[in-house]
Amino acid sequence: MKIALGADHAGYRLKDVIIPFIESLGHQVIDYGCSCADSVDYPDYALQVCEQVVSGEADKGILICGTGIGMSIAANKVPGIRCALVHDLFSAKATREHNDTNVLALGERVIGPGVAEEIVKIWLETEFSQGVRHQNRINKVQSIEDRFAIHP
């Protein structure tokens, strides 16, 4: 898989740990930054990653900031993105099986690198269950997105 990865100044250290880990699992990583502690705006990085996922240039995306909250909010504004903020192993699996998420948000200030690696591994390896009830719910979420979409 090709994974787009982005972080702000509060998440770049965890990003730098996660990239080689993902590569060790056999996936390709596209790093959209940032790579320093200088204050930056997380929506800029969320948008770059999400555009790659929506366009099909990347199969999935991972976003990291201090808590993961800002990144997940920004990501879920992009039509076609289903981003989940995850800080535990159960949620990592459930969000793929039940919600077919295509972007994962993590908080560097909330979890350590070991837990983050386990979450990423589970999230990347878990398939959508294809369950009818789950697909129906995803379709309803999509209909909400469609209802509020701005069409030029």
Side-chain angles (χ1 to χ4, degrees):
M1 272 190 284
K2 190 182 290 187
I3 311 301
L5 209 145
D8 71 359
H9 58 281
Y12 83 94
R13 286 172 297 275
L14 183 57
K15 176 184 68 74
D16 290 345
V17 170
I18 293 298
I19 288 173
F21 177 73
I22 293 170
E23 291 171 339
S24 77
L25 297 174
H27 305 293
Q28 180 184 352
V29 176
I30 309 161
D31 183 357
Y32 287 93
C34 94
S35 297
C36 67
D38 298 336
S39 184
V40 297
D41 298 328
Y42 62 82
D44 299 335
Y45 297 90
L47 181 59
Q48 289 180 72
V49 167
C50 291
E51 285 177 330
Q52 295 303 302
V53 173
V54 169
S55 73
E57 291 295 316
D59 299 298
K60 290 189 173 105
I62 298 175
L63 297 168
I64 307 168
C65 64
T67 62
I69 296 168
M71 285 290 201
S72 65
I73 291 170
N76 281 312
K77 298 296 181 187
V78 177
I81 294 298
R82 287 180 308 283
C83 177
L85 171 57
V86 175
H87 292 136
D88 65 87
L89 305 180
F90 175 81
S91 298
K93 185 174 174 104
T95 193
R96 285 290 306 129
E97 286 181 342
H98 298 187
N99 309 112
D100 197 19
T101 53
N102 52 11
V103 176
L104 173 67
L106 301 169
E108 178 178 309
R109 295 175 180 160
V110 180
I111 57 173
V115 172
E117 287 176 349
E118 290 182 62
I119 288 169
V120 167
K121 184 176 191 307
I122 289 169
W123 187 76
L124 290 174
E125 293 178 352
T126 302
E127 296 293 328
F128 176 52
S129 72
Q130 304 289 329
V132 172
R133 74 179 196 268
H134 299 304
Q135 186 60 58
N136 287 342
R137 292 168 185 157
I138 291 170
N139 293 345
K140 286 184 178 190
V141 170
Q142 181 64 52
S143 71
I144 293 169
E145 184 177 295
D146 293 344
R147 178 177 170 197
F148 290 94
I150 299 171
H151 301 286

